[in-house]
Amino acid sequence: QILSKLRMKEAPNISRDIVKQLLPKAPPLQQLLDQYDVLGDDNKDVVMEEDDEHAITETIMMMATEPESIVQVDGEPKCCFFSFTQKFQASRVLRAQLWVHLRQSDEATTVFLQISRLMPVAEGSRHIRIRSLKIDVSAGVSSWQSIDVKQVLTVWLRQPETNWGIEINAFDSRGNDLAVTSAEPGEEGLLPFMEAKISEAPKRARRDSGLDCDENSPESRCCRYPLTVDFEDFGWDWI
């Protein structure tokens, strides 16, 4: 039944290790993975804060995909389009960060991280610069950098027709682009990705508080009972 709801014929043959390789290696996601690995390893010493279940925010992470051909010239740029499969109101966006991985430079240098809005080629100017950031980097050090894109995301949510994607460049003093925007060998999981902090939608009032029961409840009406499913118990460690 679960596979049917996921529109899958069978469970994918994929391990947790492979999933970790495919996911972005950016700091916020690593923190989440570390947190849930600790909680999932039968570590009884870990106590969840009571407020954790009633958080007033949620974090949404969006992976970069290739923009439509209408904004490309000779197949470029290959990055980055962010689609919003989960619908939420612009007013609920508390914070939005674009994470970009910079390749290491041979020398200490200043990098200019630039984000430009993509437009259909037929409409003239393809590049409208919307954000820029100056970053000092050390020689031989690769790094994740984040840049505030709350305003960009808000516009996209209010005017979805303007979202054709963005182009990301990070030029050093010699004009080399250090931004990882396509997955070269060894750079898996280093593609740009967007992290948005969203305020919780107002909860609807529950009509009948008697609908939640446990095994000791004398309730005779149709009732919700707690059900804990350990997917790893039956081999679904890909969840």
Side-chain angles (χ1 to χ4, degrees):
Q1 286 178 319
I2 294 172
L3 286 173
S4 174
K5 292 290 185 186
L6 294 172
R7 298 182 182 175
M8 300 168 71
K9 293 181 179 177
E10 57 188 21
N13 182 19
I14 188 168
S15 70
R16 175 174 289 189
D17 290 338
I18 294 175
V19 170
K20 283 188 177 181
Q21 291 174 21
L22 297 174
L23 290 172
K25 297 183 175 71
L29 200 60
Q30 291 300 127
Q31 290 166 9
L32 277 177
L33 287 173
D34 292 343
Q35 175 187 341
Y36 284 104
D37 269 355
V38 169
L39 295 175
D41 289 342
D42 296 328
N43 189 332
K44 303 302 182 189
D45 296 333
V46 177
V47 179
M48 289 286 282
E49 293 286 341
E50 186 177 340
D51 288 344
D52 285 355
E53 294 182 5
H54 307 286
I56 59 169
T57 62
E58 60 178 319
T59 300
I60 297 174
M61 304 206 183
M62 293 156 281
M63 321 273 252
T65 57
E66 185 171 338
E68 293 186 40
S69 58
I70 192 172
V71 302
Q72 295 177 325
V73 175
D74 297 329
E76 297 291 339
K78 295 288 186 192
C79 186
C80 302
F81 177 74
F82 296 94
S83 62
F84 308 106
T85 51
Q86 186 172 350
K87 303 300 181 188
F88 48 88
Q89 295 174 327
S91 58
R92 290 177 56 202
V93 178
L94 301 177
R95 185 165 61 87
Q97 301 284 121
L98 176 69
W99 289 86
V100 180
H101 195 265
L102 302 186
R103 299 182 182 92
Q104 62 185 36
S105 172
D106 295 333
E107 58 185 14
T109 184
T110 298
V111 173
F112 291 92
L113 177 61
Q114 300 172 353
I115 304 173
S116 303
R117 187 155 58 97
L118 290 172
M119 298 288 288
V121 178
E123 294 184 15
S125 175
R126 276 196 323 123
H127 303 82
I128 303 172
R129 188 175 302 172
I130 47 180
R131 288 306 310 272
S132 60
L133 188 67
K134 190 168 105 172
I135 305 161
D136 292 324
V137 299
S138 304
V141 178
S142 61
S143 64
W144 281 100
Q145 302 291 338
S146 67
I147 187 168
D148 180 12
V149 288
K150 178 182 176 182
Q151 188 175 0
V152 180
L153 178 57
T154 301
V155 170
W156 284 347
L157 291 170
R158 288 186 174 140
Q159 302 172 308
E161 69 280 2
T162 65
N163 180 18
W164 294 99
I166 55 177
E167 183 170 21
I168 301 169
N169 302 110
F171 295 111
D172 64 11
S173 56
R174 295 187 176 185
N176 300 314
D177 191 354
L178 302 183
V180 176
T181 54
S182 60
E184 303 295 332
E187 293 183 339
E188 295 83 4
L190 300 182
L191 289 177
F193 107 50
M194 194 176 290
E195 174 196 13
K197 191 78 76 176
I198 311 297
S199 65
E200 194 176 61
K203 285 187 171 65
R204 289 179 295 178
R206 185 178 292 173
R207 283 179 294 180
D208 190 340
S209 59
L211 291 176
D212 287 327
C213 302
D214 60 33
E215 55 270 24
N216 300 317
S217 299
E219 184 58 63
S220 59
R221 293 175 296 171
C222 186
C223 203
R224 275 193 299 263
Y225 289 88
L227 173 65
T228 301
V229 178
D230 189 337
F231 290 107
E232 292 197 31
D233 267 3
F234 52 97
W236 282 18
D237 65 348
W238 49 275
I239 290 188

PDB file of all heavy atoms in Angstrom, residues 133-165:
ATOM      1  N   LEU A 133      28.266  38.899  -4.032  1.00  0.00           N
ATOM      2  CA  LEU A 133      28.919  38.764  -2.734  1.00  0.00           C
ATOM      3  C   LEU A 133      30.418  38.660  -2.953  1.00  0.00           C
ATOM      4  O   LEU A 133      30.870  37.929  -3.847  1.00  0.00           O
ATOM      5  CB  LEU A 133      28.397  37.495  -2.043  1.00  0.00           C
ATOM      6  CG  LEU A 133      28.800  37.226  -0.590  1.00  0.00           C
ATOM      7  CD1 LEU A 133      28.189  38.272   0.331  1.00  0.00           C
ATOM      8  CD2 LEU A 133      28.342  35.824  -0.172  1.00  0.00           C
ATOM      9  N   LYS A 134      31.185  39.401  -2.172  1.00  0.00           N
ATOM     10  CA  LYS A 134      32.643  39.356  -2.271  1.00  0.00           C
ATOM     11  C   LYS A 134      33.177  38.459  -1.162  1.00  0.00           C
ATOM     12  O   LYS A 134      32.846  38.645   0.009  1.00  0.00           O
ATOM     13  CB  LYS A 134      33.217  40.764  -2.139  1.00  0.00           C
ATOM     14  CG  LYS A 134      34.691  40.865  -2.475  1.00  0.00           C
ATOM     15  CD  LYS A 134      35.101  42.323  -2.595  1.00  0.00           C
ATOM     16  CE  LYS A 134      35.885  42.727  -1.377  1.00  0.00           C
ATOM     17  NZ  LYS A 134      36.477  44.068  -1.483  1.00  0.00           N
ATOM     18  N   ILE A 135      33.991  37.464  -1.534  1.00  0.00           N
ATOM     19  CA  ILE A 135      34.466  36.461  -0.580  1.00  0.00           C
ATOM     20  C   ILE A 135      35.982  36.325  -0.689  1.00  0.00           C
ATOM     21  O   ILE A 135      36.516  36.173  -1.793  1.00  0.00           O
ATOM     22  CB  ILE A 135      33.818  35.084  -0.857  1.00  0.00           C
ATOM     23  CG1 ILE A 135      32.289  35.189  -0.871  1.00  0.00           C
ATOM     24  CG2 ILE A 135      34.283  34.048   0.151  1.00  0.00           C
ATOM     25  CD1 ILE A 135      31.612  34.043  -1.565  1.00  0.00           C
ATOM     26  N   ASP A 136      36.668  36.386   0.422  1.00  0.00           N
ATOM     27  CA  ASP A 136      38.106  36.118   0.456  1.00  0.00           C
ATOM     28  C   ASP A 136      38.319  34.639   0.735  1.00  0.00           C
ATOM     29  O   ASP A 136      37.798  34.108   1.733  1.00  0.00           O
ATOM     30  CB  ASP A 136      38.787  36.957   1.540  1.00  0.00           C
ATOM     31  CG  ASP A 136      38.777  38.442   1.208  1.00  0.00           C
ATOM     32  OD1 ASP A 136      38.905  38.782   0.013  1.00  0.00           O
ATOM     33  OD2 ASP A 136      38.600  39.263   2.134  1.00  0.00           O
ATOM     34  N   VAL A 137      39.062  33.943  -0.142  1.00  0.00           N
ATOM     35  CA  VAL A 137      39.304  32.511   0.036  1.00  0.00           C
ATOM     36  C   VAL A 137      40.797  32.244   0.154  1.00  0.00           C
ATOM     37  O   VAL A 137      41.621  32.980  -0.404  1.00  0.00           O
ATOM     38  CB  VAL A 137      38.705  31.675  -1.120  1.00  0.00           C
ATOM     39  CG1 VAL A 137      37.199  31.861  -1.192  1.00  0.00           C
ATOM     40  CG2 VAL A 137      39.346  32.030  -2.452  1.00  0.00           C
ATOM     41  N   SER A 138      41.140  31.189   0.877  1.00  0.00           N
ATOM     42  CA  SER A 138      42.539  30.791   1.051  1.00  0.00           C
ATOM     43  C   SER A 138      42.946  29.835  -0.059  1.00  0.00           C
ATOM     44  O   SER A 138      42.093  29.184  -0.700  1.00  0.00           O
ATOM     45  CB  SER A 138      42.735  30.124   2.414  1.00  0.00           C
ATOM     46  OG  SER A 138      42.311  30.971   3.457  1.00  0.00           O
ATOM     47  N   ALA A 139      44.239  29.721  -0.277  1.00  0.00           N
ATOM     48  CA  ALA A 139      44.754  28.821  -1.303  1.00  0.00           C
ATOM     49  C   ALA A 139      44.500  27.365  -0.921  1.00  0.00           C
ATOM     50  O   ALA A 139      44.653  26.982   0.242  1.00  0.00           O
ATOM     51  CB  ALA A 139      46.247  29.063  -1.506  1.00  0.00           C
ATOM     52  N   GLY A 140      44.090  26.561  -1.908  1.00  0.00           N
ATOM     53  CA  GLY A 140      43.937  25.126  -1.702  1.00  0.00           C
ATOM     54  C   GLY A 140      42.783  24.710  -0.821  1.00  0.00           C
ATOM     55  O   GLY A 140      42.742  23.579  -0.337  1.00  0.00           O
ATOM     56  N   VAL A 141      41.809  25.602  -0.602  1.00  0.00           N
ATOM     57  CA  VAL A 141      40.671  25.280   0.270  1.00  0.00           C
ATOM     58  C   VAL A 141      39.363  25.422  -0.507  1.00  0.00           C
ATOM     59  O   VAL A 141      39.076  26.485  -1.058  1.00  0.00           O
ATOM     60  CB  VAL A 141      40.634  26.209   1.503  1.00  0.00           C
ATOM     61  CG1 VAL A 141      39.420  25.883   2.372  1.00  0.00           C
ATOM     62  CG2 VAL A 141      41.917  26.088   2.310  1.00  0.00           C
ATOM     63  N   SER A 142      38.593  24.338  -0.566  1.00  0.00           N
ATOM     64  CA  SER A 142      37.251  24.421  -1.144  1.00  0.00           C
ATOM     65  C   SER A 142      36.271  24.715  -0.018  1.00  0.00           C
ATOM     66  O   SER A 142      36.549  24.422   1.144  1.00  0.00           O
ATOM     67  CB  SER A 142      36.879  23.114  -1.853  1.00  0.00           C
ATOM     68  OG  SER A 142      36.888  22.041  -0.935  1.00  0.00           O
ATOM     69  N   SER A 143      35.131  25.287  -0.351  1.00  0.00           N
ATOM     70  CA  SER A 143      34.215  25.696   0.720  1.00  0.00           C
ATOM     71  C   SER A 143      32.790  25.848   0.204  1.00  0.00           C
ATOM     72  O   SER A 143      32.567  26.052  -0.991  1.00  0.00           O
ATOM     73  CB  SER A 143      34.672  27.032   1.322  1.00  0.00           C
ATOM     74  OG  SER A 143      34.606  28.064   0.351  1.00  0.00           O
ATOM     75  N   TRP A 144      31.837  25.733   1.131  1.00  0.00           N
ATOM     76  CA  TRP A 144      30.448  26.075   0.865  1.00  0.00           C
ATOM     77  C   TRP A 144      30.236  27.537   1.237  1.00  0.00           C
ATOM     78  O   TRP A 144      30.698  27.980   2.286  1.00  0.00           O
ATOM     79  CB  TRP A 144      29.497  25.209   1.681  1.00  0.00           C
ATOM     80  CG  TRP A 144      29.284  23.832   1.129  1.00  0.00           C
ATOM     81  CD1 TRP A 144      29.881  22.682   1.544  1.00  0.00           C
ATOM     82  CD2 TRP A 144      28.399  23.471   0.064  1.00  0.00           C
ATOM     83  NE1 TRP A 144      29.423  21.622   0.795  1.00  0.00           N
ATOM     84  CE2 TRP A 144      28.523  22.066  -0.119  1.00  0.00           C
ATOM     85  CE3 TRP A 144      27.534  24.187  -0.758  1.00  0.00           C
ATOM     86  CZ2 TRP A 144      27.792  21.376  -1.083  1.00  0.00           C
ATOM     87  CZ3 TRP A 144      26.806  23.500  -1.715  1.00  0.00           C
ATOM     88  CH2 TRP A 144      26.935  22.114  -1.871  1.00  0.00           C
ATOM     89  N   GLN A 145      29.549  28.257   0.389  1.00  0.00           N
ATOM     90  CA  GLN A 145      29.195  29.649   0.670  1.00  0.00           C
ATOM     91  C   GLN A 145      27.687  29.790   0.558  1.00  0.00           C
ATOM     92  O   GLN A 145      27.050  29.136  -0.275  1.00  0.00           O
ATOM     93  CB  GLN A 145      29.884  30.604  -0.320  1.00  0.00           C
ATOM     94  CG  GLN A 145      31.393  30.509  -0.326  1.00  0.00           C
ATOM     95  CD  GLN A 145      32.027  31.044   0.950  1.00  0.00           C
ATOM     96  OE1 GLN A 145      31.426  31.840   1.678  1.00  0.00           O
ATOM     97  NE2 GLN A 145      33.252  30.610   1.241  1.00  0.00           N
ATOM     98  N   SER A 146      27.105  30.634   1.394  1.00  0.00           N
ATOM     99  CA  SER A 146      25.663  30.859   1.308  1.00  0.00           C
ATOM    100  C   SER A 146      25.398  32.338   1.063  1.00  0.00           C
ATOM    101  O   SER A 146      26.161  33.196   1.505  1.00  0.00           O
ATOM    102  CB  SER A 146      24.954  30.398   2.586  1.00  0.00           C
ATOM    103  OG  SER A 146      25.323  31.199   3.686  1.00  0.00           O
ATOM    104  N   ILE A 147      24.332  32.592   0.342  1.00  0.00           N
ATOM    105  CA  ILE A 147      23.958  33.968   0.024  1.00  0.00           C
ATOM    106  C   ILE A 147      22.454  34.113   0.209  1.00  0.00           C
ATOM    107  O   ILE A 147      21.671  33.201  -0.118  1.00  0.00           O
ATOM    108  CB  ILE A 147      24.388  34.327  -1.430  1.00  0.00           C
ATOM    109  CG1 ILE A 147      24.159  35.811  -1.716  1.00  0.00           C
ATOM    110  CG2 ILE A 147      23.728  33.443  -2.458  1.00  0.00           C
ATOM    111  CD1 ILE A 147      24.823  36.289  -3.001  1.00  0.00           C
ATOM    112  N   ASP A 148      22.035  35.228   0.765  1.00  0.00           N
ATOM    113  CA  ASP A 148      20.626  35.473   1.074  1.00  0.00           C
ATOM    114  C   ASP A 148      19.818  35.640  -0.217  1.00  0.00           C
ATOM    115  O   ASP A 148      20.131  36.497  -1.040  1.00  0.00           O
ATOM    116  CB  ASP A 148      20.525  36.727   1.934  1.00  0.00           C
ATOM    117  CG  ASP A 148      19.080  37.071   2.313  1.00  0.00           C
ATOM    118  OD1 ASP A 148      18.203  36.219   2.100  1.00  0.00           O
ATOM    119  OD2 ASP A 148      18.849  38.183   2.797  1.00  0.00           O
ATOM    120  N   VAL A 149      18.803  34.814  -0.400  1.00  0.00           N
ATOM    121  CA  VAL A 149      17.950  34.909  -1.596  1.00  0.00           C
ATOM    122  C   VAL A 149      16.478  34.990  -1.217  1.00  0.00           C
ATOM    123  O   VAL A 149      15.605  34.611  -1.992  1.00  0.00           O
ATOM    124  CB  VAL A 149      18.184  33.717  -2.557  1.00  0.00           C
ATOM    125  CG1 VAL A 149      19.534  33.821  -3.247  1.00  0.00           C
ATOM    126  CG2 VAL A 149      18.054  32.385  -1.821  1.00  0.00           C
ATOM    127  N   LYS A 150      16.201  35.487  -0.009  1.00  0.00           N
ATOM    128  CA  LYS A 150      14.805  35.575   0.433  1.00  0.00           C
ATOM    129  C   LYS A 150      13.969  36.419  -0.533  1.00  0.00           C
ATOM    130  O   LYS A 150      12.851  36.042  -0.906  1.00  0.00           O
ATOM    131  CB  LYS A 150      14.741  36.173   1.838  1.00  0.00           C
ATOM    132  CG  LYS A 150      13.311  36.340   2.351  1.00  0.00           C
ATOM    133  CD  LYS A 150      13.266  36.981   3.722  1.00  0.00           C
ATOM    134  CE  LYS A 150      11.823  37.227   4.156  1.00  0.00           C
ATOM    135  NZ  LYS A 150      11.745  37.904   5.470  1.00  0.00           N
ATOM    136  N   GLN A 151      14.508  37.563  -0.956  1.00  0.00           N
ATOM    137  CA  GLN A 151      13.760  38.446  -1.850  1.00  0.00           C
ATOM    138  C   GLN A 151      13.494  37.768  -3.190  1.00  0.00           C
ATOM    139  O   GLN A 151      12.401  37.871  -3.759  1.00  0.00           O
ATOM    140  CB  GLN A 151      14.534  39.755  -2.054  1.00  0.00           C
ATOM    141  CG  GLN A 151      13.740  40.808  -2.807  1.00  0.00           C
ATOM    142  CD  GLN A 151      14.485  42.134  -2.889  1.00  0.00           C
ATOM    143  OE1 GLN A 151      15.598  42.267  -2.390  1.00  0.00           O
ATOM    144  NE2 GLN A 151      13.872  43.110  -3.515  1.00  0.00           N
ATOM    145  N   VAL A 152      14.507  37.040  -3.697  1.00  0.00           N
ATOM    146  CA  VAL A 152      14.356  36.326  -4.970  1.00  0.00           C
ATOM    147  C   VAL A 152      13.252  35.282  -4.866  1.00  0.00           C
ATOM    148  O   VAL A 152      12.361  35.199  -5.727  1.00  0.00           O
ATOM    149  CB  VAL A 152      15.688  35.646  -5.366  1.00  0.00           C
ATOM    150  CG1 VAL A 152      15.541  34.903  -6.689  1.00  0.00           C
ATOM    151  CG2 VAL A 152      16.812  36.664  -5.445  1.00  0.00           C
ATOM    152  N   LEU A 153      13.305  34.479  -3.807  1.00  0.00           N
ATOM    153  CA  LEU A 153      12.305  33.428  -3.614  1.00  0.00           C
ATOM    154  C   LEU A 153      10.910  34.014  -3.456  1.00  0.00           C
ATOM    155  O   LEU A 153       9.928  33.491  -4.006  1.00  0.00           O
ATOM    156  CB  LEU A 153      12.679  32.585  -2.393  1.00  0.00           C
ATOM    157  CG  LEU A 153      11.718  31.465  -2.011  1.00  0.00           C
ATOM    158  CD1 LEU A 153      11.511  30.494  -3.155  1.00  0.00           C
ATOM    159  CD2 LEU A 153      12.222  30.733  -0.764  1.00  0.00           C
ATOM    160  N   THR A 154      10.807  35.117  -2.724  1.00  0.00           N
ATOM    161  CA  THR A 154       9.507  35.759  -2.518  1.00  0.00           C
ATOM    162  C   THR A 154       8.891  36.198  -3.836  1.00  0.00           C
ATOM    163  O   THR A 154       7.695  35.998  -4.084  1.00  0.00           O
ATOM    164  CB  THR A 154       9.664  36.972  -1.573  1.00  0.00           C
ATOM    165  OG1 THR A 154      10.196  36.530  -0.320  1.00  0.00           O
ATOM    166  CG2 THR A 154       8.325  37.637  -1.331  1.00  0.00           C
ATOM    167  N   VAL A 155       9.707  36.780  -4.712  1.00  0.00           N
ATOM    168  CA  VAL A 155       9.210  37.212  -6.031  1.00  0.00           C
ATOM    169  C   VAL A 155       8.749  36.005  -6.837  1.00  0.00           C
ATOM    170  O   VAL A 155       7.685  36.030  -7.471  1.00  0.00           O
ATOM    171  CB  VAL A 155      10.303  37.993  -6.793  1.00  0.00           C
ATOM    172  CG1 VAL A 155       9.876  38.232  -8.242  1.00  0.00           C
ATOM    173  CG2 VAL A 155      10.586  39.320  -6.105  1.00  0.00           C
ATOM    174  N   TRP A 156       9.532  34.917  -6.823  1.00  0.00           N
ATOM    175  CA  TRP A 156       9.157  33.719  -7.573  1.00  0.00           C
ATOM    176  C   TRP A 156       7.823  33.146  -7.098  1.00  0.00           C
ATOM    177  O   TRP A 156       7.017  32.687  -7.903  1.00  0.00           O
ATOM    178  CB  TRP A 156      10.240  32.655  -7.430  1.00  0.00           C
ATOM    179  CG  TRP A 156      11.459  32.917  -8.258  1.00  0.00           C
ATOM    180  CD1 TRP A 156      11.586  33.827  -9.275  1.00  0.00           C
ATOM    181  CD2 TRP A 156      12.727  32.274  -8.143  1.00  0.00           C
ATOM    182  NE1 TRP A 156      12.862  33.789  -9.792  1.00  0.00           N
ATOM    183  CE2 TRP A 156      13.576  32.847  -9.118  1.00  0.00           C
ATOM    184  CE3 TRP A 156      13.233  31.285  -7.308  1.00  0.00           C
ATOM    185  CZ2 TRP A 156      14.902  32.444  -9.283  1.00  0.00           C
ATOM    186  CZ3 TRP A 156      14.545  30.882  -7.466  1.00  0.00           C
ATOM    187  CH2 TRP A 156      15.370  31.450  -8.441  1.00  0.00           C
ATOM    188  N   LEU A 157       7.601  33.178  -5.793  1.00  0.00           N
ATOM    189  CA  LEU A 157       6.360  32.628  -5.254  1.00  0.00           C
ATOM    190  C   LEU A 157       5.161  33.501  -5.614  1.00  0.00           C
ATOM    191  O   LEU A 157       4.074  32.992  -5.884  1.00  0.00           O
ATOM    192  CB  LEU A 157       6.465  32.478  -3.735  1.00  0.00           C
ATOM    193  CG  LEU A 157       7.425  31.395  -3.238  1.00  0.00           C
ATOM    194  CD1 LEU A 157       7.623  31.508  -1.740  1.00  0.00           C
ATOM    195  CD2 LEU A 157       6.907  30.008  -3.601  1.00  0.00           C
ATOM    196  N   ARG A 158       5.371  34.812  -5.619  1.00  0.00           N
ATOM    197  CA  ARG A 158       4.265  35.733  -5.945  1.00  0.00           C
ATOM    198  C   ARG A 158       4.037  35.824  -7.454  1.00  0.00           C
ATOM    199  O   ARG A 158       2.921  36.082  -7.899  1.00  0.00           O
ATOM    200  CB  ARG A 158       4.577  37.112  -5.367  1.00  0.00           C
ATOM    201  CG  ARG A 158       4.455  37.149  -3.842  1.00  0.00           C
ATOM    202  CD  ARG A 158       4.620  38.536  -3.272  1.00  0.00           C
ATOM    203  NE  ARG A 158       4.343  38.535  -1.829  1.00  0.00           N
ATOM    204  CZ  ARG A 158       5.026  39.216  -0.938  1.00  0.00           C
ATOM    205  NH1 ARG A 158       6.024  39.996  -1.329  1.00  0.00           N
ATOM    206  NH2 ARG A 158       4.728  39.152   0.343  1.00  0.00           N
ATOM    207  N   GLN A 159       5.109  35.656  -8.218  1.00  0.00           N
ATOM    208  CA  GLN A 159       5.015  35.735  -9.682  1.00  0.00           C
ATOM    209  C   GLN A 159       5.752  34.539 -10.299  1.00  0.00           C
ATOM    210  O   GLN A 159       6.874  34.684 -10.795  1.00  0.00           O
ATOM    211  CB  GLN A 159       5.630  37.049 -10.178  1.00  0.00           C
ATOM    212  CG  GLN A 159       4.971  38.297  -9.591  1.00  0.00           C
ATOM    213  CD  GLN A 159       5.738  39.559  -9.957  1.00  0.00           C
ATOM    214  OE1 GLN A 159       6.945  39.644  -9.752  1.00  0.00           O
ATOM    215  NE2 GLN A 159       5.039  40.540 -10.511  1.00  0.00           N
ATOM    216  N   PRO A 160       5.132  33.359 -10.253  1.00  0.00           N
ATOM    217  CA  PRO A 160       5.801  32.142 -10.735  1.00  0.00           C
ATOM    218  C   PRO A 160       6.258  32.246 -12.193  1.00  0.00           C
ATOM    219  O   PRO A 160       7.231  31.594 -12.586  1.00  0.00           O
ATOM    220  CB  PRO A 160       4.720  31.055 -10.575  1.00  0.00           C
ATOM    221  CG  PRO A 160       3.751  31.610  -9.584  1.00  0.00           C
ATOM    222  CD  PRO A 160       3.773  33.088  -9.754  1.00  0.00           C
ATOM    223  N   GLU A 161       5.577  33.082 -12.973  1.00  0.00           N
ATOM    224  CA  GLU A 161       5.944  33.202 -14.396  1.00  0.00           C
ATOM    225  C   GLU A 161       7.311  33.849 -14.585  1.00  0.00           C
ATOM    226  O   GLU A 161       7.884  33.792 -15.692  1.00  0.00           O
ATOM    227  CB  GLU A 161       4.871  33.987 -15.163  1.00  0.00           C
ATOM    228  CG  GLU A 161       4.764  35.475 -14.831  1.00  0.00           C
ATOM    229  CD  GLU A 161       3.983  35.789 -13.561  1.00  0.00           C
ATOM    230  OE1 GLU A 161       3.535  34.838 -12.885  1.00  0.00           O
ATOM    231  OE2 GLU A 161       3.821  36.998 -13.258  1.00  0.00           O
ATOM    232  N   THR A 162       7.871  34.467 -13.542  1.00  0.00           N
ATOM    233  CA  THR A 162       9.194  35.088 -13.650  1.00  0.00           C
ATOM    234  C   THR A 162      10.321  34.116 -13.300  1.00  0.00           C
ATOM    235  O   THR A 162      11.497  34.451 -13.449  1.00  0.00           O
ATOM    236  CB  THR A 162       9.310  36.315 -12.719  1.00  0.00           C
ATOM    237  OG1 THR A 162       9.229  35.869 -11.352  1.00  0.00           O
ATOM    238  CG2 THR A 162       8.207  37.319 -12.989  1.00  0.00           C
ATOM    239  N   ASN A 163       9.961  32.930 -12.836  1.00  0.00           N
ATOM    240  CA  ASN A 163      10.990  31.968 -12.407  1.00  0.00           C
ATOM    241  C   ASN A 163      11.472  31.122 -13.580  1.00  0.00           C
ATOM    242  O   ASN A 163      10.917  30.068 -13.874  1.00  0.00           O
ATOM    243  CB  ASN A 163      10.445  31.077 -11.289  1.00  0.00           C
ATOM    244  CG  ASN A 163      11.478  30.060 -10.822  1.00  0.00           C
ATOM    245  OD1 ASN A 163      12.674  30.205 -11.074  1.00  0.00           O
ATOM    246  ND2 ASN A 163      11.019  29.028 -10.142  1.00  0.00           N
ATOM    247  N   TRP A 164      12.524  31.599 -14.239  1.00  0.00           N
ATOM    248  CA  TRP A 164      13.176  30.829 -15.303  1.00  0.00           C
ATOM    249  C   TRP A 164      14.486  30.209 -14.812  1.00  0.00           C
ATOM    250  O   TRP A 164      15.151  29.505 -15.556  1.00  0.00           O
ATOM    251  CB  TRP A 164      13.448  31.723 -16.509  1.00  0.00           C
ATOM    252  CG  TRP A 164      12.216  32.201 -17.194  1.00  0.00           C
ATOM    253  CD1 TRP A 164      11.622  33.423 -17.047  1.00  0.00           C
ATOM    254  CD2 TRP A 164      11.395  31.482 -18.117  1.00  0.00           C
ATOM    255  NE1 TRP A 164      10.482  33.507 -17.822  1.00  0.00           N
ATOM    256  CE2 TRP A 164      10.326  32.322 -18.492  1.00  0.00           C
ATOM    257  CE3 TRP A 164      11.459  30.189 -18.662  1.00  0.00           C
ATOM    258  CZ2 TRP A 164       9.339  31.924 -19.391  1.00  0.00           C
ATOM    259  CZ3 TRP A 164      10.474  29.794 -19.559  1.00  0.00           C
ATOM    260  CH2 TRP A 164       9.431  30.659 -19.912  1.00  0.00           C
ATOM    261  N   GLY A 165      14.832  30.528 -13.576  1.00  0.00           N
ATOM    262  CA  GLY A 165      16.080  30.007 -13.033  1.00  0.00           C
ATOM    263  C   GLY A 165      17.118  31.104 -12.895  1.00  0.00           C
ATOM    264  O   GLY A 165      16.885  32.266 -13.240  1.00  0.00           O
TER     265      GLY A 165
END
